[in-house]
Amino acid sequence: MDLVPALEEPLKQPLKSVLGPATAKVMAEHLGLRTVGDLLHHYPRRYEERGQLTHLADLPMDEHVTVVAQVADARLHTFASAKAPRGKGQRLEVTITDGSGRLQVVFFGNGVHKPHKELLPGTRAMFAGKVSVFNRRLQLAHPAYELLRGDSEEAVETWAGALIPIYPATAKLESWKIGKAVQTVLPTAQEALDPLPPALREGRGLLPLPEALLKIHRPHTKADIADARARLKWDEAFVLQVALARRRHADTLLPAVPRVPGPDGILAAFDDRLPFTLTEGQQKVSREIFADLATAHPMHRLLQGEVGSGKTMVALRAMLAVVDAGGQAAMLAPTEVLAQQHHRSVTEMMGELASWGLWREAPPQKGGGGRREGGMLGGAEHATKVVLLTGSMGMAARRQALLDLATGEAGIVIGTHALIEDKVQFHDLGLVVVDEQHRFGVEQRDALRGKGKQPPHLLVMTATPIPRTVAMTVFGDLETSVLDQLPAGRSPIASHVVPAADKPHFLARAWERVREEVAAGHQAYVVCPRIGDEEDDPKKAGKKKDPEGEADKRPPLAVLEVADQLSRGPLQGLKVEVLHGRMHPDDKDAVMRRFAAGETDVLVATTVIEVGVNVPNATAMVIMDADRFGVSQLHQLRGRVGRGSAPGLCLLVTEMPEASPARQRLAAVASTLDGFELSRIDLEQRREGDVLGQAQSGARSSLRVLAVIEDEEVIAEARQEAAAVVAADPELERLPGLRTALDALLDEEREQYLEKG
């Protein structure tokens, strides 16, 4: 909820010139604050008590901070330099303290005069600047500062007890300047329209919106802050949940063809041939999906499952159910490698029920089942064509695949974005399965769904476990199914951090372990963050520095270089191949086929193998520069091993020091195989906006005080309240304040995201 009509005045407007055009420009460019309403909804990050100084011991490295502290001592030094060769250079060193620690503040050159007069021992002030290290000590160089004065005894008491709001700031605009700007526009808060229905607000004892805005920016007590935050969290949760509830309501009004499988069709034939029993989780989720498919409005379901939990099996049974009912099913995969992998695994699982699959250059001859890639023969009674459609296919194969889709000959198609092209026509598209949905833009998914005569059913799959609250917030217009059991026969994966800088012999031992796995008849992956060919720019790669350690002073390790070093060094004599995203699709497919067939011992790859790649004989994975990957991504990568009966091993190689946050993150990954627990850790370390699909919506995050992990109860209750409000008044005609807030939240791009998502 970014704006309300009464607060839409631009900050640059002459009437608001008290901010100054320069300040208004910085606010717009660096903080995205363009109106009075934006500024009022820019809430303090935290509050300082003047009488209770901040903890200098906990300052984050390389970040802009605001601290309230007392000057312990100040010393002026002179020195010789290139600019002042006669020893006339000046440096003011001020030591500030808060009782928990000390911090050095430094000023140079002409900048020393004013602070030298003002920052006397015993003075209290707010300092804002970027934390850096000099001579192994934390310091603030040339910080902005504001003295905190109290004159009379009464003023001192008031001053000491006051709560100072500390705002999210930038190097160009300090927190207290933002605070002064907020105080200027704060009277306008009285005109804010309240989006919460009065009955809801009163029933839950929440403050009116104007009062909440006043208390969040100018609190007298900590209770004021708590009351204001409780109210503003409800705004954010409720308005977003109303948007999602309206989307769900609109979906129930869309027509769809019910797809009910017959008792003795291809699904029954497939189930009869299964050499194993489905897990309880797979059976339960399948029942939920089949119930949705049988309804006369489109299914919108999110299927999330742990790595290796058998999502593909569940999706295939859903596709077969639709084929049974006379429709077609399409599976959209994010990469050619994954599309080919899905095509292989689906046709292998179906056996003779897949009458034939990908034809390289020529369709089968009339009257014969023909030879399908992979060597199986067609001809089963209930068989259906399973075709692959990717951008790199030959013309003849592509033409045949398109014909099979248009005539309905192909019941199942698996492909990449090539499925979305205008010339792709379906006979009767009944189900769209989207794999790893976060890799697709909204328009791509919408284009495929638009190919049905009526809206097809939609099943979205992800192997990235999503905490319940995030699922309710991000995918609130989808019903959610969770697979959290691993199929029988899956082996545990042991994970260890390999500190290459601290203990180089650990890395040597890692390569010995890879050789041992290969000697035992198994295979291994080595994952690198970069490709390393001439298209990579090492200068750019080296520019990005991370304060966590020295490792970031070199470019990330690259596939081509590491593969070469391993072949000539610790893995000499083994069959080592490379795989990355810039290879020709045919070459990628050939490499994966050789690896899957056991002809390659070690595959050195980028994250192109992150999802869907299934080689049960691969038991070991070494992830180089593991600190450069996210928690969930590491969990995804690790899921490529331990897929057979032999135990898996994942080694996380890093040069980061032991005390660094990066090492703590890797230790968390090594300590648990619970993807949902890791997703919580991942979420806590990222900005909320990243999680809320900003990349897909193009809109900035609507969440300012709501934390999707901590505020589970608020989100769940807001979802219930939103559903009730929308059921009673879908167009929100009786709630103009809510409509206004909704319009503000759903700018054009966000609206599109929810419409199409």
Side-chain angles (χ1 to χ4, degrees):
M1 189 182 64
D2 297 333
L3 308 170
V4 286
L7 310 182
E8 282 181 359
E9 291 180 77
L11 291 171
K12 286 185 180 178
Q13 194 173 321
L15 290 174
K16 301 297 172 193
S17 58
V18 68
L19 297 188
T23 303
K25 186 180 179 191
V26 171
M27 283 190 172
E29 290 178 0
H30 294 273
L31 295 169
L33 308 177
R34 292 176 175 81
T35 68
V36 172
D38 285 343
L39 185 53
L40 285 175
H41 288 297
H42 187 72
Y43 308 133
R45 188 194 303 277
R46 59 192 169 84
Y47 301 83
E48 293 293 356
E49 291 179 80
R50 287 189 173 116
Q52 176 191 327
L53 301 179
T54 57
H55 292 284
L56 295 179
D58 300 332
L59 289 180
M61 271 293 302
D62 214 34
E63 281 189 21
H64 288 277
V65 299
T66 300
V67 297
V68 179
Q70 182 170 306
V71 176
D73 65 60
R75 297 179 185 182
L76 188 64
H77 302 275
T78 57
F79 60 91
S81 69
K83 290 183 179 177
R86 296 181 185 173
K88 292 187 179 178
Q90 290 187 307
R91 180 175 74 249
L92 178 65
E93 293 181 0
V94 179
T95 303
I96 60 175
T97 181
D98 67 350
S100 74
R102 296 164 81 84
L103 179 68
Q104 186 167 280
V105 175
V106 293
F107 301 88
F108 295 97
N110 294 332
V112 304
H113 303 304
K114 185 168 178 276
H116 189 220
K117 290 178 187 171
E118 294 182 336
L119 296 178
L120 304 174
T123 304
R124 286 182 173 182
M126 280 198 291
F127 299 86
K130 193 172 185 179
V131 182
S132 58
V133 172
F134 181 72
N135 280 346
R136 300 197 171 195
R137 293 171 63 193
L138 291 181
Q139 70 168 24
L140 290 180
H142 279 288
Y145 68 89
E146 179 156 285
L147 302 180
L148 299 174
R149 295 188 174 95
D151 299 327
S152 69
E153 208 172 304
E154 187 181 338
V156 168
E157 208 172 296
T158 309
W159 173 87
L163 291 160
I164 306 168
I166 305 295
Y167 288 90
T170 74
K172 297 195 173 184
L173 198 64
E174 294 87 11
S175 168
W176 57 80
K177 288 184 181 173
I178 296 171
K180 286 178 179 175
V182 169
Q183 295 303 326
T184 304
V185 301
L186 200 51
T188 323
Q190 295 296 343
E191 300 174 50
L193 282 176
D194 201 320
L196 294 190
L200 188 160
R201 189 181 71 241
E202 290 158 16
R204 294 186 175 272
L206 298 169
L207 298 178
L209 180 58
E211 189 180 341
L213 289 171
L214 286 170
K215 286 188 172 179
I216 197 89
H217 291 296
R218 196 186 283 164
H220 295 296
T221 64
K222 289 183 179 177
D224 284 351
I225 299 168
D227 290 346
R229 287 178 68 85
R231 162 60 214 249
L232 295 168
K233 281 181 181 185
W234 256 95
D235 278 18
E236 292 179 359
F238 180 71
V239 174
L240 185 55
Q241 290 301 331
V242 166
L244 295 165
R246 292 186 75 204
R247 180 68 252 143
R248 290 195 303 275
H249 177 78
D251 286 340
T252 63
L253 304 179
L254 289 174
V257 178
R259 309 285 180 173
V260 182
D264 53 1
I266 190 170
L267 176 62
F270 175 77
D271 286 348
D272 289 344
R273 285 165 169 75
L274 279 181
F276 53 82
T277 306
L278 296 175
T279 66
E280 281 181 32
Q282 285 175 316
Q283 292 177 38
K284 174 177 174 286
V285 169
S286 288
R287 285 194 295 272
E288 292 170 349
I289 291 171
F290 292 158
D292 285 355
L293 291 174
T295 61
H297 58 84
M299 169 175 76
H300 288 86
R301 187 166 287 276
L302 171 69
L303 171 57
Q304 49 172 324
E306 275 287 14
V307 175
S309 59
K311 292 183 302 301
T312 308
M313 172 63 70
V314 170
L316 176 54
R317 293 184 75 238
M319 292 194 287
L320 292 175
V322 169
V323 172
D324 244 1
Q328 293 169 291
M331 178 183 275
L332 187 60
T335 65
E336 291 214 356
V337 167
L338 189 51
Q340 289 160 343
Q341 174 73 42
H342 276 317
H343 182 259
R344 273 198 295 277
S345 59
V346 163
T347 49
E348 283 165 13
M349 283 192 279
M350 287 178 65
E352 62 179 11
L353 296 174
S355 57
W356 53 70
L358 168 65
W359 283 82
R360 278 290 178 196
E361 293 300 340
Q365 300 303 311
K366 282 184 182 177
R371 184 173 175 80
R372 191 186 62 76
E373 193 176 279
M376 296 178 193
L377 295 175
E381 182 189 352
H382 299 292
T384 188
K385 273 192 182 180
V386 180
V387 302
L388 175 67
L389 189 63
T390 67
S392 65
M393 287 171 66
M395 283 303 295
R398 183 178 180 76
R399 199 177 300 119
Q400 182 63 40
L402 291 173
L403 181 64
D404 289 342
L405 290 179
T407 61
E409 189 83 7
I412 295 174
V413 59
I414 297 167
T416 56
H417 57 276
L419 282 176
I420 295 164
E421 294 173 9
D422 290 342
K423 60 181 71 171
V424 179
Q425 300 295 325
F426 289 85
H427 177 68
D428 181 12
L429 182 60
L431 171 66
V432 173
V433 178
V434 180
D435 192 26
E436 291 306 322
Q437 75 84 33
H438 61 280
R439 297 186 171 214
F440 286 101
V442 172
E443 293 76 14
Q444 291 173 306
R445 296 201 301 275
D446 190 50
L448 185 53
R449 284 171 60 186
K451 290 183 177 291
K453 291 171 184 171
Q454 285 192 334
H457 299 281
L458 175 69
L459 180 64
V460 169
M461 298 199 300
T462 178
T464 305
I466 303 164
R468 175 172 169 260
T469 44
V470 181
M472 283 192 292
T473 309
V474 186
F475 303 108
D477 55 339
L478 300 175
E479 298 300 323
T480 303
S481 295
V482 177
L483 275 176
D484 51 11
Q485 284 177 292
L486 290 185
R490 280 291 166 87
S491 300
I493 304 168
S495 303
H496 303 283
V497 177
V498 178
D502 306 353
K503 300 176 180 174
H505 61 287
F506 275 36
L507 183 58
R509 175 65 186 135
W511 301 127
E512 285 176 19
R513 284 292 292 114
V514 170
R515 294 192 78 98
E516 288 166 11
E517 289 298 312
V518 172
H522 300 304
Q523 294 159 276
Y525 297 99
V526 176
V527 181
C528 302
R530 199 163 63 93
I531 297 172
D533 57 18
E534 67 283 349
E535 291 182 49
D536 279 329
D537 184 350
K539 289 179 186 170
K540 282 183 189 171
K543 271 183 189 173
K544 189 179 176 185
K545 291 191 179 181
D546 189 318
E548 289 190 42
E550 296 294 306
D552 268 350
K553 291 190 176 175
R554 60 159 173 76
L557 291 172
V559 164
L560 300 179
E561 295 155 16
V562 168
D564 184 54
Q565 289 164 9
L566 292 177
S567 297
R568 291 188 285 107
L571 301 186
Q572 191 172 6
L574 300 186
K575 175 73 171 162
V576 177
E577 288 205 71
V578 300
L579 181 71
H580 58 75
R582 283 208 287 267
M583 292 167 62
H584 188 278
D586 284 349
D587 294 337
K588 282 192 283 195
D589 192 37
V591 168
M592 273 314 302
R593 285 177 181 280
R594 286 194 293 274
F595 190 65
E599 297 166 19
T600 304
D601 297 321
V602 179
L603 188 63
V604 184
T606 57
T607 55
V608 71
I609 60 142
E610 181 184 343
V611 289
V613 174
N614 184 27
V615 180
N617 193 47
T619 54
M621 175 176 286
V622 181
I623 303 179
M624 308 302 292
D625 282 342
D627 48 89
R628 296 177 188 262
F629 299 97
V631 169
S632 293
Q633 195 173 30
L634 290 170
H635 185 57
Q636 286 286 312
L637 287 165
R638 172 172 62 184
R640 299 308 106 207
V641 297
R643 300 178 76 84
S645 54
L649 173 68
C650 179
L651 302 174
L652 307 168
V653 179
T654 179
E655 293 184 4
M656 286 298 177
E658 191 169 3
S660 64
R663 277 284 287 275
Q664 292 166 15
R665 199 166 62 237
L666 295 181
V669 174
S671 69
T672 180
L673 291 172
D674 183 341
F676 286 92
E677 176 58 31
L678 288 174
S679 71
R680 292 179 75 94
I681 294 169
D682 198 20
L683 182 58
E684 284 160 6
Q685 293 177 342
R686 293 159 60 194
R687 283 174 48 247
E688 300 283 354
D690 296 338
V691 181
L692 294 178
Q694 278 181 282
Q696 296 186 57
S697 70
R700 65 194 163 93
S701 169
S702 60
L703 298 196
R704 288 169 174 76
V705 288
L706 191 71
V708 289
I709 288 290
E710 296 165 22
D711 298 319
E712 181 167 347
E713 195 175 317
V714 172
I715 293 169
E717 290 177 7
R719 182 179 166 98
Q720 285 183 335
E721 293 276 11
V725 164
V726 171
D729 182 8
E731 297 304 314
L732 309 179
E733 290 171 357
R734 297 187 292 278
L735 297 167
L738 178 55
R739 271 210 72 94
T740 302
L742 204 59
D743 292 341
L745 169 71
L746 301 179
D747 59 22
E748 192 176 339
E749 287 180 286
R750 184 86 179 180
E751 179 76 64
Q752 216 173 36
Y753 170 53
L754 291 172
E755 280 293 326
K756 296 178 180 178

